[in-house]
Amino acid sequence: MVSRVVMGAWLLLVAIVARAELVVEVTQGVTEPTPVAVVPFEWNGGSEMEDVAQIISNDLGRSGFFKTMPRANMLSNPYRQDQVFYRDWRISGNDYLVIGRLEPQPDGQVRVTAELFDVLQERRVWGQVVNGTPANMRDVAHYLADQIFEELTGIKGAFSTRIVYVTADSLGAGNFRYRLQMADSDGARPRTILESKEPILSPSWSRDASKLAYVSFESGRPSIYIQHLATGQRQRIQSFKGLNGAPAWSPSGDKLAVVLSKDGNPEIYVLTLATGQLDRVTRHYGIDTEPTWSPDGQSLVFTSDRGGRPQIYSLNLQARDLKRLTFEGVSNSRGRMTQDGRFLTMVHQDSEGFHIAVQDLKDGRLDILTNSRLDESPTIAPNGSIILYATKKGGRGVLAGVSLDGNVRFTMPSSSGDVREPAWSPYLQ
């Protein structure tokens, strides 16, 4: 189905419940967002239940591409198709209508039925039944929001994905408490997966979303750790004298690109996890850092100042061919590619400061997407629609997001501490 929406999305498994939630604040949406009404779902089970309809409405509304109708303005609360009077919803200015119901099952599960109607064409366009437990109704709601979004846009939804990020809380006298946290797409259910008095940097998701790699200074020096999210098990991988940093998972999941200075200068290596074999892939007196893999796993994209200032390069691992990708501005760094390999996001420095930019690798066009001055650490939604990044607001570190075309913007302030180093998960298996 063709629609005028494109996509806004954003944002597992273990650990300690954290105290601070992220709150999505949409600061700019598309000029004409698609109006949709998500009616409260019917529930006659007696016990309190997650408000599935409200979560769906919030997901769609926070994207910036949909204008959701306040419940107080709804003329009726239909739960089934024969209760839908299209004229009422057309008069109230809606293009689409979502209705549904929750039904308790004998085995303790809950059957959730959701339906989507095209108000203007007066027809049902989609429906789905999902079974879940009372404890995972929030997951069910995000899943249904993904399905509705895909039905309206043709793009796979990403509301069911996760983000990880690092928070830093000041304890006074120069002391900080750092947390590596993970949250739902809407900032709910934050979990702390590591807490430390020493910095935590560079979290990176494995392609199957089952593991994280990150840098921790808990031993007094930088070391790279891998954490299994389902069990909480963590391991420190080979640690060398000097810098051990910037881990990046290969698409195949059996290798990490890392930055080591064990030979005297920061260089990029590829570590085969099963054998511990290290392959040094850069050799230059400049600083090579911030590697990321191309989607096909054939190349590494990285930052280097070998040309005098930081710029982004691509290295074919088989042929060892090196290609410079960026030329505009004072510097460009922290490159990340969309899954189709078409676009490269980055931190772009010009005379005004550091901004998030995107470059079309097909025609070379560079677009600066943000006008703030201290942007860093871009990470891309798995469907390529939104770039999440760290920036400053009111003197504190916050997360913010911008669509790949620059039309949608939002911030995700936390109730306490600085927030930094975001990493967006792949689609969850």
Side-chain angles (χ1 to χ4, degrees), residues 221-242:
R221 50 190 298 269
S223 298
I224 298 172
Y225 291 81
I226 292 176
Q227 183 140 349
H228 297 257
L229 295 174
T231 64
Q233 178 187 0
R234 62 195 295 258
Q235 63 190 93
R236 188 171 75 168
I237 68 171
Q238 295 183 40
S239 186
F240 299 94
K241 184 178 180 179

Side-chain angles (χ1 to χ4, degrees), residues 150-210:
E150 186 169 3
E151 180 65 30
L152 293 177
T153 67
I155 301 171
K156 187 174 181 178
F159 299 114
S160 296
T161 55
R162 304 288 186 265
I163 58 169
V164 293
Y165 51 92
V166 176
T167 62
D169 295 292
S170 176
L171 303 179
N175 295 317
F176 289 86
R177 178 177 57 224
Y178 298 91
R179 291 191 178 107
L180 178 61
Q181 303 211 104
M182 179 164 46
D184 283 8
S185 61
D186 56 0
R189 296 189 296 185
R191 302 289 185 271
T192 299
I193 57 180
L194 177 67
E195 184 172 326
S196 176
K197 294 181 179 179
E198 302 298 333
I200 304 168
L201 303 172
S202 306
S204 172
W205 290 87
S206 63
R207 181 60 64 88
D208 65 1
S210 69

